[in-house]
């Protein structure tokens, strides 16, 4: 009887831990190009997932930057990513990317951020779409000044 | 006797140390070991067909301004990336003043301008303005080429879209604006390839009319033919073993794509095309062959005597 009770409690504990464990937001490339400003800015729409509204919004913003930096958006002016080799750049400049994403330095290049969809709940995560206006020229200059990328040329 | 000894010592010291002073670093330009990478030179030219003259094109009352505006906008795109291009009009004027383009001259204007400017890369801008009842549209094609090898580096085209306007400047600017980021970004990836894999040069081995040997002559100590020795040496000494032979005849051996590094791999200093040319000359010297080495625009021409 005692053994059965112990087994049941253990099962309940495990089930509880699984149910309550925080979900890790998936990294996605759900980013689309909106427009190019005449002033060196770019408008992109990113989709983010998170455990709450704010986390989903931040993930959407970071997604937009991540795609701009490492992936590019095919069929648009941002076809070629700003950083050609992601793993090499991250290995050589871990401090820069930690500052950019974890310490939210990317926000200094974000001129505006507007929710373009309502918050929805998908597969246990909150999902939202955010239009971000990025100061592309300033971001590129920052990458060059921090030697993450080369200036135009050799 | 003592004076003689002192004089001998002074003479010996002078003989030992004076040569060093000839090759010593000039203190006025000493940067403490810092090396700045030599950048490519880029010139932006308008498109022209066979037989057309640049001056006539640029001063055409109807289309001249469109071409000048297009060139200006493309140069501006390079400027925004912090890169200065060679001024095409300045180069054209220099050559005109020097009498390079006379009425009966068969000189290829584009080749002369590019060669004279020393440009490593030239960008051709082709603009076509279409006017109709439904509006005016500017279509632009940009094409970047490597001077030394003629290789195409990148090309893009864009259209401004139709507008009811006569402001060609705005339409040209709009079209270039639509493609310039992608154009420059792709060009930058080609630069990265050059940084990683070396820049291309064209190398030509030519026999002088009175050359003592032919490419079929045996040279060296291992019984190799001169052509074989050249092929082996080029393969070993081109950067990352990249030496693409275009072809050979009894009088010439042509390499249309040989890679040399941007920096000397041993010293970290800028590696010039003349450094590679010097190595070729010394190699041929080791085979008891004299030669002259010339460097016409990113190429090496070795004439074996």
């Amino acid at each position: 009887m005692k053994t059965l009770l112990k087994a049941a409690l253990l099962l309940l504990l495990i089930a509880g831990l699984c149910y309550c464990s925080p979900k890790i937001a998936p990294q996605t490339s759900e980013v689309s190009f909106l427009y190019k400003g005449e002033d060196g800015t770019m408008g992109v729409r990113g989709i983010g997932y998170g455990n709450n509204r704010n986390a989903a919004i931040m993930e959407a913003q970071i997604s937009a930057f991540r795609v701009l930096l490492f992936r590019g958006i095919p069929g648009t002016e941002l076809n070629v990513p700003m950083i050609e080799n992601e793993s090499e750049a991250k290995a050589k400049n871990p401090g820069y990317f930690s500052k950019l994403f974890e310490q939210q330095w990317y926000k200094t290049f974000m001129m505006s951020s507007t929710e373009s969809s309502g918050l929805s709940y998908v597969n246990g995560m909150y999902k939202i779409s955010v239009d971000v206006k990025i100061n592309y020229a300033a971001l590129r200059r920052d990458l060059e000044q921090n030697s993450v990328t080369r200036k135009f040329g050799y | 006797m003592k004076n003689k000894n002192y004089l001998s010592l002074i003479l010996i010291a002078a003989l030992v140390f004076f040569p060093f002073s000839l090759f010593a670093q000039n203190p006025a330009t000493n940067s403490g070991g810092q090396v700045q990478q030599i950048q490519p030179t880029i010139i932006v030219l308008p498109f022209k067909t066979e037989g057309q003259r640049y001056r006539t094109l640029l001063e055409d009352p109807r289309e001249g301004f469109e071409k000048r505006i297009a060139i200006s906008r493309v140069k501006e795109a390079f400027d925004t990336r912090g890169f200065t291009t060679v001024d095409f009009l300045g180069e054209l004027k220099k050559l005109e003043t020097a009498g390079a383009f006379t009425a009966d001259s068969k000189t290829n204007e584009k080749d002369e301008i590019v060669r004279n400017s020393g440009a490593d890369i030239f960008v051709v801008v082709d603009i076509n303005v279409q006017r109709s009842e439904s509006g005016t549209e500017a279509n632009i094609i940009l094409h970047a080429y490597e001077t030394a090898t003629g290789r195409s580096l990148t090309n893009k085209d864009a259209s401004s879209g139709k507008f009811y306007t006569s402001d060609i400047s705005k339409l040209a600017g709009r079209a270039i604006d639509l493609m310039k980021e992608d154009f420059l970004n792709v060009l930058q990836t080609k630069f990265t390839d050059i940084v990683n894999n070396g820049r291309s040069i064209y190398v030509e081995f030519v026999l002088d009319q009175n050359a003592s040997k032919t490419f079929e002559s045996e040279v060296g100590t291992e019984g190799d033919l001169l052509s074989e020795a050249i092929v082996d040496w080029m393969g070993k000494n081109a950067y990352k073993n990249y030496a693409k032979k275009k072809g050979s005849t009894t009088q010439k051996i042509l390499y249309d794509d040989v890679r040399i590094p941007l920096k000397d791999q041993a010293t970290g200093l800028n590696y010039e095309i003349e450094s590679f040319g010097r190595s070729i000359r010394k190699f041929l010297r080791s085979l008891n062959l004299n030669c002259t080495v010339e460097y016409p625009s990113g190429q090496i021409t070795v004439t074996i005597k």
Side-chain angles (χ1 to χ4, degrees):
Chain A
M1 184 63 184
K2 271 189 182 175
T3 321
L4 267 172
L5 203 58
K6 276 185 187 172
L9 276 170
L10 189 63
L11 274 168
L12 264 170
L13 184 67
I14 291 168
L17 281 171
C18 288
Y19 182 76
C20 298
S21 65
K23 286 203 164 33
I24 300 167
Q27 279 195 10
T28 72
S29 290
E30 290 175 85
V31 175
S32 50
F33 178 74
L34 292 177
Y35 60 86
K36 180 187 171 188
E38 282 186 17
D39 44 1
T41 59
M42 298 281 185
V44 291
R45 174 169 293 164
I47 294 176
Y49 300 82
N51 293 319
N52 53 53
R53 182 189 204 91
N54 287 341
I57 288 172
M58 199 181 302
E59 188 53 36
Q61 294 166 348
I62 290 176
S63 247
F65 277 87
R66 211 183 279 126
V67 164
L68 218 62
L69 289 171
F70 304 120
R71 296 284 178 271
I73 304 175
T76 72
E77 273 197 76
L78 306 176
N79 180 43
V80 177
M82 296 175 90
I83 295 173
E84 291 171 51
N85 191 321
E86 178 183 358
S87 47
E88 193 180 301
K90 282 182 173 174
K92 283 186 181 169
N93 308 280
Y96 180 83
F97 290 104
S98 167
K99 181 183 171 191
L100 187 69
F101 294 122
E102 289 162 36
Q103 294 172 41
Q104 300 179 32
W105 174 248
Y106 71 87
K107 289 187 175 177
T108 59
F109 304 105
M110 200 168 66
M111 298 180 74
S112 66
S113 173
T114 316
E115 293 167 35
S116 51
S117 77
L119 190 68
S120 57
Y121 195 72
V122 176
N123 292 334
M125 310 271 326
Y126 288 99
K127 174 184 171 183
I128 196 164
S129 159
V130 176
D131 291 355
V132 182
K133 185 176 180 183
I134 297 172
N135 191 340
Y136 185 83
L139 178 61
R140 185 175 51 231
R141 265 197 306 279
D142 195 61
L143 291 169
E144 289 169 3
Q145 282 164 6
N146 286 280
S147 304
V148 179
T149 58
R150 283 193 334 275
K151 280 189 71 173
F152 186 77
Y154 293 153
Chain B
M1 186 64 183
K2 269 190 183 175
N3 284 340
K4 271 192 183 172
N5 286 340
Y6 283 138
L7 277 170
S8 307
L9 272 171
I10 289 166
L11 190 61
I12 290 166
L15 283 171
V16 169
F17 291 110
F18 179 65
F20 285 104
S21 71
L22 288 176
F23 298 103
Q25 171 73 54
N26 178 356
T29 58
N30 191 342
S31 62
Q34 288 180 52
V35 176
Q36 187 174 355
Q37 177 63 59
I38 292 175
Q39 295 298 315
T41 318
I42 300 178
I43 189 168
V44 182
L45 315 159
F47 174 81
K48 76 173 185 70
T49 56
E50 189 77 28
Q52 284 184 318
R53 292 282 191 190
Y54 280 128
R55 183 57 69 185
T56 315
L57 276 177
L58 294 174
E59 292 180 352
D60 183 271
R62 210 166 65 92
E63 294 180 0
F65 182 72
E66 294 164 5
K67 295 194 185 338
R68 296 197 300 275
I69 270 293
I71 293 172
S72 172
R73 291 297 187 139
V74 173
K75 280 166 64 71
E76 202 181 298
F78 281 101
D79 288 339
T80 57
R81 295 289 280 260
F83 197 93
T84 307
T85 54
V86 175
D87 182 41
F88 161 72
L89 282 172
E91 288 299 322
L92 178 65
K93 197 164 172 55
K94 257 197 285 180
L95 286 170
E96 284 172 339
T97 307
F101 310 129
T102 54
D104 56 352
S105 166
K106 287 187 166 54
T107 315
N108 182 319
E109 274 191 321
K110 179 180 83 38
D111 290 347
E112 275 299 310
I113 288 171
V114 171
R115 184 170 36 241
N116 200 62
S117 69
D120 302 294
I121 291 161
F122 61 96
V123 177
V124 178
V125 184
D126 188 4
I127 178 168
N128 179 28
V129 177
Q130 290 178 328
R131 295 170 177 86
S132 69
E133 283 176 5
S134 53
T136 306
E137 184 179 35
N139 300 302
I140 296 200
I141 304 173
L142 292 186
H143 207 139
Y145 300 89
E146 193 173 46
T147 307
T149 58
R151 287 192 312 169
S152 168
L153 296 174
T154 179
N155 62 282
K156 294 281 169 212
D157 63 273
S159 172
S160 63
K162 281 192 177 170
F163 292 89
Y164 288 108
T165 182
S166 57
D167 191 343
I168 305 302
S169 161
K170 265 223 162 69
L171 292 176
R174 186 180 158 78
I176 286 166
D177 221 40
L178 288 171
M179 69 158 114
K180 69 179 185 191
E181 285 300 336
D182 206 16
F183 178 80
L184 292 173
N185 288 345
V186 173
L187 196 51
Q188 181 71 346
T189 64
K190 297 298 169 83
F191 289 154
T192 302
D193 179 64
I194 289 170
V195 168
N196 293 335
N197 299 312
R199 66 184 164 118
S200 285
I201 59 171
Y202 181 95
V203 181
E204 192 177 65
F205 292 88
V206 178
L207 288 174
D208 187 75
Q209 275 181 343
N210 304 313
S212 55
K213 293 207 190 280
T214 69
F215 287 124
E216 301 307 308
S217 304
E218 274 193 20
V219 292
T221 55
E222 292 178 18
D224 290 325
L225 302 178
L226 177 55
S227 56
E228 292 165 349
I230 287 173
V231 167
D232 286 348
W233 189 91
M234 290 293 283
K236 279 184 199 150
N237 289 278
Y239 189 53
K240 295 189 176 179
N241 185 228
Y242 196 103
K244 187 169 148 285
K245 196 167 127 196
K246 184 179 178 180
S248 59
T249 64
T250 52
Q251 297 298 312
K252 283 186 184 184
I253 296 178
L254 303 169
Y255 283 84
D256 61 347
D257 194 352
V258 177
R259 301 293 174 98
I260 61 171
L262 291 178
K263 286 207 155 60
D264 185 315
Q265 301 297 290
T267 62
L269 300 176
N270 287 305
Y271 190 76
E272 299 273 21
I273 190 173
E274 287 82 359
S275 304
F276 194 70
R278 190 194 313 160
S279 300
I280 292 176
R281 184 183 58 75
K282 287 180 176 176
F283 155 67
L284 290 171
R285 199 72 197 90
S286 72
L287 299 175
N288 295 320
L289 293 169
N290 287 320
C291 66
T292 54
V293 185
E294 294 167 297
Y295 306 94
S297 304
Q299 301 177 2
I300 297 178
T301 303
V302 183
T303 307
I304 300 171
K305 297 195 186 301

